[in-house]
Structures are given as C-alpha cells and as structure tokens.
Amino acid sequence: MLQSLHIIKVRVTEGKMKVQNLAKYNKLSKSISSIVNILFWIVLCLAVASILLTAGTRLFPNVINLSNSDGNFNISPDNIIRFEISTANMSQSGINDIYSLLFIGITVFLILILLVLIQLRKILKNVVNEKPFAQENAKRMKNIGYIVMAGSVLIPVIKTFTVNRIINAFDLNNVSAVYKVNTEVLLIGLLIILFSAIFSYGTYLQTEYDETI
Amino acid sequence: MAIIIRLDRVLADRKMQLGELADKVGISIVNLSNLKTGKVRAIRFSTLNEICKTLKCTPGDILEYEYVENESSVDDD
C-alpha cells in the first residue's frame, strides 16, 4: 500500500514537472516569437526605405546627399578598407553610381534577412502551437539554408562591384577588388540544410509517436 | 495492413460505449476512435493491457490477422 502511494506520488511529481517544463518552454517560445515578429517589421520598413532610396538615387540624382559637413562621404563595402570620397572632386553621376550600389547592396541584404525572418516566423508559429516537429518546419529550415547560401554568393558580388566602382572613380592603378564567395556563410547554410534533414527525421518520429496509442 | 481491429464487436458484446471505455482506460476518445477505425500505426502494450483489463477479454478478441496476398513488408516502408 505504502509502495503504491509512493509510486503515485512520484508519478504525480513527474507529471507536475513535465507541466512546469512545458509551461517554461511555451513562455520561451512565445518570447522568441514576439522578438522575431518585431524584427520582421523593423527589417520590412528598412527594406522598403532602402528600395525607395535606391530608386531615388536614379530618379532624383541631386536630392540624396550622404556626405558629411566636410563634403566627404565615407564608405566601407568590404568592412576592411574605408574610402573617404570627396564629393567635390567627383562627378555627380559617379557619386550617384556609388550611392546606387550602396543602397542596392543594403536592399539585397535586407531582403535576404526578410526572407529568413518570414520562414522563422512560420516555424515559431508552429512551435508556439506545440507542433515543433511539423513537416513544414523541416522544409522551412531547408529554405533558410538555401537563402543563407544564396547570400554567401550574392553579397560578395555587390561588395566587389561597389569596391571596383570606387577604385575606378579614384583612378587607382594596380588595384582591383577580387570576388570570393563567403565560404564561412556558405558552410553555415549547408549546416542548416543538414539540420533540416535531421529535423525531418524528427518529424517522422513525432508522427510515429502521435499515431501510437 | 492485415491487422483488423474488432474493438467495436467486443464493445457491443460488453454493452459499453466508446467514451466509457476511453475514460476507464485513460486515453482520449479521439485516439480510441482512431484505434477502432484502424487509423493508428501502433498500440502500446500498456494501452492494450488496460483495454483488455477493462473489457475482460484477450488481445486476440480485439486484434485479428487476415492474410493479404502481395502485402508489402515492413522493410519496404
């Protein structure tokens, strides 16, 4: 009798712990989902602004001016070398080209981030609904992997183009930008795709469990 | 699958409703209904134990195997 009571007590305690853990997990997933939602709207607004600025540099060339009080415009497309461009010593079309490329680069980057956030939002929606191992989630993780891999190829293209444009504007000899795929980001994309395959197996196990009574 | 579920027959013999069995066994009526209609993939021994205990029957009363020609094996799944 005492042993049975002890077993019941242990089972009730385990049940309570399970409920507490589930509640913590629910709270965490809801918090992360809220943060991702906020980020999504911020990035969407920035992407729209970036697209408008890109169009603006072409349609209204003399309106946009990013130079500081000294009449210089600082840009570092590769985050290694910083170019200080004197807008007084450069033609307006040359400056507009550089502005265009800058905003195109920012737009492409923001669009890629936005695509990732769209997939992430949908994944988190399923997680909040206590269905983390839904088949769609594995597919969405794979999509994120592909987007990251695309970014590793596209973003260096824009950076290389921008730097080469600046080098041409400065008439620098024996200097050119070299295109190189961002291999670290490419590997991260591949890892995400690998994890999505593991997640897919998790989905299969979840289905097996759900269909077992 | 060649496993046939005869739960509805046993329930009729015992004059018990599905809901009542679900309450006594401790599983949801949805799951029990899925079992009755053959939509489940597997059943745990603990669940089978409870069902047989409640209905005072053997697993053979609930589960029946019918040979089906050209049935694919488990490995093919």
Side-chain angles (χ1 to χ4, degrees):
Chain A
M1 172 81 166
L2 279 172
Q3 199 180 11
S4 309
L5 280 172
H6 174 71
I7 289 167
I8 290 166
K9 192 179 170 187
V10 166
R11 284 203 180 139
V12 165
T13 314
E14 279 173 1
K16 269 189 192 166
M17 274 176 63
K18 206 175 173 182
V19 167
Q20 279 171 354
N21 284 338
L22 271 172
K24 259 192 221 173
Y25 153 84
N26 245 334
K27 209 176 169 184
L28 179 66
S29 55
K30 278 181 186 164
S31 310
I32 294 173
S33 184
S34 305
I35 291 169
V36 168
N37 273 333
I38 292 167
L39 264 173
F40 168 77
W41 288 109
I42 291 172
V43 171
L44 181 64
C45 293
L46 289 173
V48 167
S50 182
I51 290 169
L52 290 172
L53 284 168
T54 309
T57 54
R58 287 290 161 198
L59 299 171
F60 310 105
N62 299 321
V63 172
I64 294 170
N65 184 4
L66 298 175
S67 54
N68 56 23
S69 53
D70 296 333
N72 294 331
F73 161 56
N74 297 323
I75 181 171
S76 176
D78 57 355
N79 294 323
I80 297 170
I81 299 172
R82 193 180 68 153
F83 297 94
E84 196 175 295
I85 302 168
S86 168
T87 51
N89 297 334
M90 199 183 276
S91 67
Q92 190 60 45
S93 66
I95 295 166
N96 286 336
D97 279 348
I98 292 169
Y99 284 171
S100 278
L101 285 169
L102 172 69
F103 288 127
I104 286 169
I106 293 171
T107 305
V108 167
F109 178 70
L110 287 172
I111 286 172
L112 289 171
I113 301 266
L114 203 61
L115 290 172
V116 169
L117 286 172
I118 288 169
Q119 300 297 316
L120 209 51
R121 269 177 102 204
K122 290 176 182 173
I123 289 172
L124 285 168
K125 198 175 170 187
N126 274 338
V127 171
V128 165
N129 291 336
E130 294 179 18
K131 289 178 191 170
F133 288 102
Q135 187 55 42
E136 314 90 70
N137 278 1
K139 197 182 166 191
R140 285 169 192 145
M141 268 183 89
K142 210 181 196 180
N143 290 343
I144 291 175
Y146 287 140
I147 294 164
V148 168
M149 284 175 69
S152 74
V153 168
L154 280 174
I155 291 173
V157 166
I158 295 163
K159 282 185 180 177
T160 311
F161 217 72
T162 310
V163 171
N164 270 330
R165 189 67 193 83
I166 295 169
I167 288 167
N168 287 340
F170 277 127
D171 272 331
L172 294 172
N173 294 322
N174 305 323
V175 176
S176 64
V178 175
Y179 172 73
K180 184 180 164 285
V181 168
N182 192 334
T183 43
E184 296 90 351
V185 174
L186 188 71
L187 271 171
I188 289 168
L190 280 170
L191 260 172
I192 294 171
I193 291 170
L194 177 66
F195 282 138
S196 78
I198 295 169
F199 212 83
S200 229
Y201 182 62
T203 305
Y204 160 72
L205 291 175
Q206 180 72 59
T207 311
E208 285 286 305
Y209 176 80
D210 287 344
E211 291 181 3
T212 300
I213 62 153
Chain B
M1 206 194 290
I3 300 285
I4 301 162
I5 311 291
R6 299 288 184 206
L7 185 63
D8 46 352
R9 192 189 282 174
V10 180
L11 278 171
D13 286 345
R14 305 288 187 272
K15 293 181 177 54
M16 194 185 285
Q17 298 294 324
L18 200 68
E20 189 187 340
L21 178 64
D23 284 337
K24 286 182 179 173
V25 167
I27 61 173
S28 69
I29 195 168
V30 170
N31 278 342
L32 208 53
S33 177
N34 284 340
L35 173 66
K36 199 178 89 157
T37 52
K39 286 180 188 165
V40 296
R41 230 179 251 254
I43 181 168
R44 293 188 184 91
F45 282 137
S46 55
T47 309
L48 188 59
N49 182 60
E50 287 304 309
I51 292 172
C52 291
K53 199 167 145 185
T54 307
L55 294 174
K56 294 182 175 54
C57 66
T58 63
D61 296 330
I62 302 169
L63 306 169
E64 201 175 293
Y65 174 76
E66 201 172 85
Y67 173 72
V68 174
E69 211 172 309
N70 299 327
E71 186 188 359
S72 60
S73 69
V74 171
D75 292 337
D76 291 346
D77 288 347

